Amino acid sequence: MASSSFDCSINSKVIKKPLEANSTKLPHKKGAWTPQEDAILAEVIAIHGASRWNSLAARAGLNRNGKSCRLRWLNYLRPNIKRGNMSDQEEDLILRLHKLLGNRWSLIAGRLPGRTDNEIKNYWNTRLCKKVKKQQLGFSTIREDHKDEGMMMMVEEIKIPALESETTVEKNPNEEGKEYSIKCDGFDESRFFDFFDEGPLNLEWVSKFLEFN
DNA sequence: AACGACTACAACCGCTCTGCC
DNA sequence: GGGCAGAGCGGTTGTAGTCGT
């Protein structure tokens, strides 16, 4: 496609942007956010709340689309965002939860207060993924013969009423990255892994699980 | 010092889901 | 039931910074 483009320099980055054909209005701005834009967005969200992102974007007058504003808020501006290196505990938890859930980053993020799904996804793709592959190529520390037993014990350890009924742990041999599913009447996997409002990390069940590996 | 390769991460894109009319 | 808009998710890309030669 032979389309024209213009350069947009933000924070010393130069971004090539395609121009919308026959467009009478300016295309939405893309690329890195400036501190000024951040401040404006935070202010508008403080007044109007973090919802209806398209109208919020319009109110802010930033010439950003709603999606971009939402992403910026959730991944960067939101209060209580924890920045900086992952602790060993957090890294370990990501590894375990990924084993259990696969690439369901938002669920994994729900277990790590202050961390965003995007951050965890990036962390996995840039570091943990390689680490895991390396481990798999080398030697396995997992006691395969005790894996299922450990998983079942983990379920028993979690005290939620739904799991008091018939609960099974099914293996997904063909599903890479998500080896197990918890099957139980009235059990909602996404609610189960939503710990956003919880306080400090509760790793008791992880520790129990680890004892089997 | 220069340059290419690699790494980390912010941001975008496309898709699906959900709720409302 | 269908269409639409908003929201959310996971995959991917682009670029600045770092490292090795």
Side-chain angles (χ1 to χ4, degrees):
Chain A
M1 188 177 81
S3 66
S4 57
S5 65
F6 66 93
D7 290 345
C8 177
S9 185
I10 309 153
N11 281 355
S12 76
K13 288 184 181 182
V14 178
I15 298 140
K16 282 274 186 187
K17 301 175 67 178
L19 285 173
E20 284 174 18
N22 301 322
S23 174
T24 51
K25 58 179 180 183
L26 276 173
H28 284 125
K29 189 178 172 185
K30 291 181 186 177
W33 282 67
T34 64
Q36 289 83 0
E37 286 178 310
D38 284 345
I40 293 168
L41 180 62
E43 200 181 319
V44 173
I45 288 171
I47 296 165
H48 300 287
S51 63
R52 302 189 64 83
W53 292 101
N54 281 328
S55 57
L56 208 69
R59 279 182 209 274
L62 291 171
N63 195 30
R64 296 270 186 178
N65 64 26
K67 225 172 172 177
S68 180
C69 293
R70 177 186 163 270
L71 203 71
R72 185 63 179 170
W73 173 254
L74 291 178
N75 290 335
Y76 199 84
L77 299 174
R78 198 164 46 130
N80 306 323
I81 295 272
K82 203 194 278 181
R83 311 208 72 80
N85 293 341
M86 294 274 181
S87 65
D88 290 345
Q89 196 186 34
E90 285 174 312
E91 184 179 308
D92 194 52
L93 187 54
I94 293 168
L95 283 165
R96 304 286 157 186
L97 288 172
H98 187 271
K99 194 90 184 153
L100 182 65
L101 297 166
N103 295 354
R104 292 158 83 179
W105 307 115
S106 57
L107 289 183
I108 295 173
R111 185 69 268 190
L112 287 128
R115 300 293 186 184
T116 68
D117 53 355
N118 204 37
E119 191 179 7
I120 291 168
K121 179 174 62 183
N122 282 332
Y123 190 72
W124 175 269
N125 287 335
T126 55
R127 305 184 204 190
L128 296 184
C129 193
K130 288 169 201 162
K131 204 171 175 177
V132 167
K133 275 181 184 162
K134 216 179 222 177
Q135 264 183 11
Q136 283 171 348
L137 281 173
F139 59 93
S140 173
T141 57
I142 309 289
R143 292 274 306 277
E144 288 292 336
D145 52 336
H146 282 161
K147 233 169 158 182
D148 295 345
E149 201 179 339
M151 190 65 202
M152 203 56 229
M153 190 181 124
M154 183 194 93
V155 168
E156 281 165 12
E157 279 297 315
I158 300 159
K159 310 291 186 208
I160 62 171
L163 294 182
E164 283 168 11
S165 59
E166 189 67 26
T167 305
T168 57
V169 175
E170 289 184 3
K171 286 198 87 171
N172 310 320
N174 299 323
E175 204 166 336
E176 197 184 343
K178 192 191 173 190
E179 290 185 27
Y180 298 91
S181 295
I182 303 169
K183 303 287 177 191
C184 171
D185 286 343
F187 172 66
D188 179 351
E189 208 176 48
S190 17
R191 275 188 56 206
F192 179 55
F193 285 101
D194 179 15
F195 302 96
F196 192 78
D197 294 332
E198 272 189 17
L201 296 177
N202 175 9
L203 297 180
E204 216 167 298
W205 65 269
V206 178
S207 309
K208 296 270 185 186
F209 186 36
L210 287 176
E211 285 168 16
F212 278 90
N213 288 339

